[in-house]
Amino acid sequence: MVCLGNICRSPLAEGIMQNKINAKKLDWSVDSAGTGAWHVGELPDPRSIDVAKKYGIDITHQRARQFKAKDFDEFDYIFAMDASNYNNIRKLAKTEAQKEKVTMIMNWEKPDMNQGVPDPYYDSDGFELVYDMIDRACDRVVEKIGD
Ligand code: 4NP
C-alpha cells in the first residue's frame, strides 16, 4: 500500500487490509510505504489513527518508511493511492513485470477510472472518506484474489 508520506492513506490501507486478512485467515502479508521520505520513522497521522480506531483497527505499531526498489521483489501486488504515487512507483521499476505489479487501488472497485484516493493531509474532514474508499477497494481485492 503506497501513498506519498506513508502517514495518512497507506497506513490506513495497511490496517484495513490486515484486518480483512485476519478475518479471512488469508496467507498474505501486507505492508505500506511512501514515495517520499519526509516522514520516515513517524507514527501514522493522529487523524488516521483515530478513524482506524473508530472501526476497531489499531495502526499505532506502524512507522513510516520509504518505498524501495526491493519492494518489487518482496510483494506480488503494489497498490498506489493516487496517480502521482502510481507514476512515481513505476519509475522505480526495472522490468515490465515489476511495472505490472503496480495498480491504482480504486481501479479494483471502478476499473479503468483511475480514481485517486484524495490526500487528506490538509483536509481533516477527508479521513472518513479515505477510510471508506480504501475499505471498499480492499473488499474487491479480497474478492478477486483471496482464496
Ligand atoms: P499521505 O499524506 O501521502 O496520505 O501519507 C501526506 C502526508 C504528508 C504530506 C503529504 C501527504 N506532506 O506533504 O508532508
Side-chain angles (χ1 to χ4, degrees):
M1 301 296 186
V2 185
C3 63
L4 177 61
N6 193 209
I7 55 168
C8 296
R9 293 164 293 177
S10 60
L12 269 178
E14 177 185 336
I16 289 167
M17 186 58 95
Q18 186 66 61
N19 194 44
K20 295 183 193 302
I21 290 169
N22 296 349
K24 297 239 176 206
K25 298 188 166 57
L26 296 170
D27 181 20
W28 293 359
S29 62
V30 63
D31 196 5
S32 64
T35 58
W38 307 283
H39 296 281
V40 167
E42 292 180 17
L43 270 83
D45 187 287
R47 297 164 296 178
S48 285
I49 291 175
D50 284 350
V51 74
K53 192 172 170 192
K54 179 177 160 190
Y55 292 99
I57 298 175
D58 180 8
I59 61 170
T60 58
H61 61 284
Q62 294 187 34
R63 297 295 180 272
R65 72 172 180 91
Q66 189 172 26
F67 183 85
K68 53 188 189 302
K70 199 163 182 283
D71 289 316
F72 284 114
D73 301 325
E74 293 183 7
F75 295 93
D76 297 322
Y77 294 88
I78 296 165
F79 301 99
M81 297 299 125
D82 66 27
S84 163
N85 312 146
Y86 174 84
N87 290 325
N88 286 327
I89 301 162
R90 280 172 60 105
K91 276 183 208 155
L92 298 174
K94 293 191 179 68
T95 64
E96 269 313 302
Q98 289 185 343
K99 272 191 185 169
E100 284 170 12
K101 289 186 174 186
V102 190
T103 56
M104 284 181 63
I105 193 166
M106 294 315 299
N107 278 354
W108 288 77
E109 192 200 15
K110 296 179 183 167
D112 304 323
M113 298 280 285
N114 298 333
Q115 184 186 15
V117 178
D119 180 352
Y121 191 60
Y122 296 105
D123 171 21
S124 290
D125 295 335
F127 284 80
E128 190 75 38
L129 172 68
V130 165
Y131 184 97
D132 187 57
M133 290 177 77
I134 293 171
D135 187 54
R136 281 186 275 121
C138 287
D139 277 339
R140 299 290 94 71
V141 172
V142 170
E143 276 171 25
K144 284 181 180 145
I145 60 175
D147 297 327

